[in-house]
Amino acid sequence: MKLPISTTCCLLLLAIYTYGQMDNYRYKRQLTGISEEWHTLVLPDDIFGKTSQNLSDIRIFGITKNKDTLEAPYLLQIAEDKRTMKNVPFNMLNTVNNAKGYYFTFEIPSEETINHIQLDFAQKNFDWTVVLEGSQNQKQWFTLVEDFRILSIKNDETDFQFTKLVLPSTKYRYFRLLVKSGEQPKLNGARIEQSTLKEGMSKNFSIREIRTQENKRTKQTEIDVTMEMPVRLGTISLEVSDSFDYYRPISIQYLKDSVKTEKGWKYSYSKLTSGILNSIQKEPLWCNHTTVKKLKILIDNQDNQPLQIKTVKASGFVHNLVTRLSTEAEYYIAYGNETTSRPTYDIDRFTSNIPENLGVLELGPEQEIKKEEIEIVNPLFQNKIWLWSLMIVIIALLGWFSIKMIRNG
């Protein structure tokens, strides 16, 4: 069967592309420890500074004994924390008050364990403390949470609320909430939950330098953070030395690009995350798994005195690849190509078929992929000897024709 010329050309181009596709990347590292079909590979931190921001340029190539190049599929997995929430049905029984404050009683008819209670009040601005108790018969009560602070602030500039009670996993038929308030709290509703946390694999990153300065014009504290190397950031947290209550909007940016000009370096930052730095809810700020080397943290102090920042902590989650190496070959991981797009593999749709026990791959030393240098052949007339020789020949011919025309005339 004869193939059309266009089809033959396409197949030829595909073969050429497949053979040379590893050359499209800047770096490669050999994979060792291949023992079976399915394997897992933990990505080291020093690889992220040489990949694209969305990690779309990571490939696994194999070179067979016949020097054929093949591409092995992989699945990127991030070992981050995974939290699941289950709503627990309940009944609101009564609301009473005395000199201590206002009481709300909940009944849970099922044998469910709870550890979260999310409260929803009609008031938008308050600062109260609460006590939570549990009982099986409404006669004997046991304290579960004592003097827990809940807060809500809403104005033209701020909309912040912290009304979630976190308690040890417990199982009671009745729960009684005491709100210590001078005014009657209007409870719109509540959500009682059982929260389950599956912890991931996180790691802290080394910080090379932290510089803090106060910008009086913008009323901001500016903190410049430089990491030891580009890292895949997952969370960042600040520890404040001050003991007084505080509530400050905070924004975190990362250095996206830098250009050297005649006046020095010009830096371009992009928003990473934002939130509220406060004295009540001391939780880290979550980032969307971004590769960063330099950070700029901006704390809006407004008319308040600047906070004393004790430490800055940066951490991330382990990134690993699950790959299927079904053909006998010498395999490499390649990376470093800003123009390529994210690959699409079948194993993304059949994750349930991936075995639980996987072989562990190890990485060899990093190698820079050398590009084949194309020999540039200078044009014939770029050579001065040929050019002068040609000019002499042309002048001689013109002179001969001129003399011949004069004699004939």
Side-chain angles (χ1 to χ4, degrees):
M1 182 183 295
K2 294 184 178 180
L3 294 175
I5 295 177
S6 59
T7 305
T8 305
C9 292
C10 290
L11 292 175
L12 181 60
L13 288 173
L14 179 62
I16 294 173
Y17 169 76
T18 303
Y19 179 78
Q21 56 189 336
M22 195 186 299
D23 294 338
N24 297 327
Y25 299 83
R26 292 188 60 188
Y27 306 98
K28 68 178 180 179
R29 299 177 73 169
Q30 187 174 2
L31 303 180
T32 60
I34 300 174
S35 58
E36 47 199 276
E37 184 179 15
W38 289 92
H39 294 81
T40 182
L41 169 66
V42 176
L43 296 179
D45 290 337
D46 59 5
I47 201 174
F48 296 115
K50 300 172 182 178
T51 60
S52 61
Q53 185 59 258
N54 60 0
L55 307 183
S56 62
D57 59 338
I58 295 177
R59 297 291 188 276
I60 296 178
F61 294 117
I63 301 177
T64 66
K65 293 181 180 179
N66 297 328
K67 302 302 180 182
D68 294 327
T69 302
L70 55 90
E71 182 173 338
Y74 71 83
L75 182 68
L76 176 63
Q77 295 180 336
I78 304 176
E80 59 185 342
D81 295 343
K82 294 182 180 179
R83 184 178 294 276
T84 57
M85 307 293 289
K86 178 184 178 183
N87 288 330
V88 177
F90 68 94
N91 300 317
M92 177 77 75
L93 295 184
N94 51 41
T95 302
V96 296
N97 68 289
N98 57 22
K100 293 183 178 181
Y102 295 83
Y103 292 85
F104 302 89
T105 304
F106 311 101
E107 178 192 19
I108 298 180
S110 60
E111 295 288 330
E112 295 280 359
T113 299
I114 72 164
N115 51 19
H116 279 185
I117 298 180
Q118 180 69 52
L119 304 171
D120 179 21
F121 293 96
Q123 288 96 330
K124 299 304 179 184
N125 290 279
F126 58 81
D127 187 355
W128 302 326
T129 57
V130 301
V131 176
L132 182 67
E133 300 171 305
S135 174
Q136 298 291 3
N137 51 22
Q138 296 195 73
K139 295 180 180 180
Q140 187 178 14
W141 293 93
F142 301 91
T143 302
L144 303 175
V145 176
E146 188 172 12
D147 290 335
F148 188 85
R149 188 178 180 186
I150 58 175
L151 176 71
S152 178
I153 303 174
K154 187 171 184 178
N155 51 43
D156 294 338
E157 299 179 351
T158 303
D159 189 358
F160 173 77
Q161 195 173 83
F162 179 68
T163 58
K164 181 173 66 175
L165 306 184
V166 180
L167 55 145
S169 295
T170 185
K171 184 188 297 183
Y172 284 101
R173 179 68 182 267
Y174 303 97
F175 290 88
R176 185 170 65 182
L177 177 70
L178 167 62
V179 181
K180 298 179 180 181
S181 170
E183 63 173 313
Q184 181 176 357
K186 298 178 182 178
L187 185 62
N188 289 333
R191 190 170 67 248
I192 299 179
E193 301 168 326
Q194 179 186 11
S195 173
T196 304
L197 174 64
K198 182 180 179 181
E199 292 187 1
M201 296 177 61
S202 62
K203 50 186 175 181
N204 295 325
F205 299 126
S206 299
I207 296 177
R208 178 186 298 173
E209 184 181 27
I210 299 176
R211 290 186 178 181
T212 303
Q213 62 178 355
E214 303 301 330
N215 191 325
K216 295 182 179 180
R217 182 181 61 84
T218 61
K219 299 181 180 180
Q220 289 180 322
T221 299
E222 299 181 0
I223 306 174
D224 292 303
V225 179
T226 303
M227 313 301 298
E228 286 287 353
M229 67 172 70
V231 295
R232 199 71 176 169
L233 193 64
T235 64
I236 188 165
S237 58
L238 283 74
E239 185 178 350
V240 180
S241 301
D242 301 294
S243 58
F244 55 79
D245 286 333
Y246 54 87
Y247 174 92
R248 312 285 171 90
I250 181 173
S251 175
I252 301 179
Q253 305 170 353
Y254 71 98
L255 181 61
K256 190 174 183 180
D257 194 12
S258 59
V259 179
K260 190 173 184 179
T261 63
E262 296 179 354
K263 298 181 179 180
W265 285 95
K266 184 178 182 181
Y267 299 103
S268 175
Y269 284 86
S270 182
K271 181 179 178 181
L272 182 62
T273 186
S274 61
I276 301 296
L277 183 64
N278 62 88
S279 55
I280 301 175
Q281 190 179 17
K282 297 181 180 180
E283 295 183 354
L285 291 168
W286 288 77
C287 312
N288 191 23
H289 304 298
T290 307
T291 301
V292 303
K293 176 69 183 294
K294 291 179 177 290
L295 295 171
K296 184 179 289 293
I297 303 173
L298 302 175
I299 303 174
D300 290 330
N301 298 312
Q302 298 172 347
D303 296 321
N304 303 292
Q305 70 180 67
L307 297 173
Q308 300 298 316
I309 306 301
K310 184 178 181 181
T311 58
V312 177
K313 295 181 180 180
S315 63
F317 296 96
V318 172
H319 288 55
N320 67 284
L321 305 181
V322 174
T323 181
R324 185 184 65 220
L325 309 179
S326 55
T327 303
E328 185 177 352
E330 190 175 82
Y331 285 95
Y332 295 84
I333 180 173
Y335 49 93
N337 184 342
E338 292 289 342
T339 60
T340 190
S341 58
R342 186 183 299 277
T344 302
Y345 301 119
D346 291 336
I347 62 174
D348 290 345
R349 300 176 176 86
F350 302 97
T351 55
S352 60
N353 295 334
I354 298 176
E356 293 184 3
N357 298 321
L358 304 174
V360 179
L361 295 173
E362 296 181 358
L363 287 175
E366 183 179 80
Q367 306 173 50
E368 189 168 356
I369 300 176
K370 296 181 179 179
K371 311 297 181 183
E372 293 185 4
E373 296 184 0
I374 301 175
E375 184 179 356
I376 301 176
V377 180
N378 292 328
L380 181 63
F381 297 127
Q382 189 172 339
N383 192 310
K384 292 184 178 180
I385 297 177
W386 282 100
L387 185 61
W388 281 107
S389 299
L390 182 61
M391 290 179 64
I392 293 172
V393 171
I394 293 175
I395 293 172
L397 288 174
L398 290 174
W400 183 77
F401 280 115
S402 299
I403 293 172
K404 187 176 180 180
M405 291 177 63
I406 293 173
R407 287 180 179 179
N408 293 335

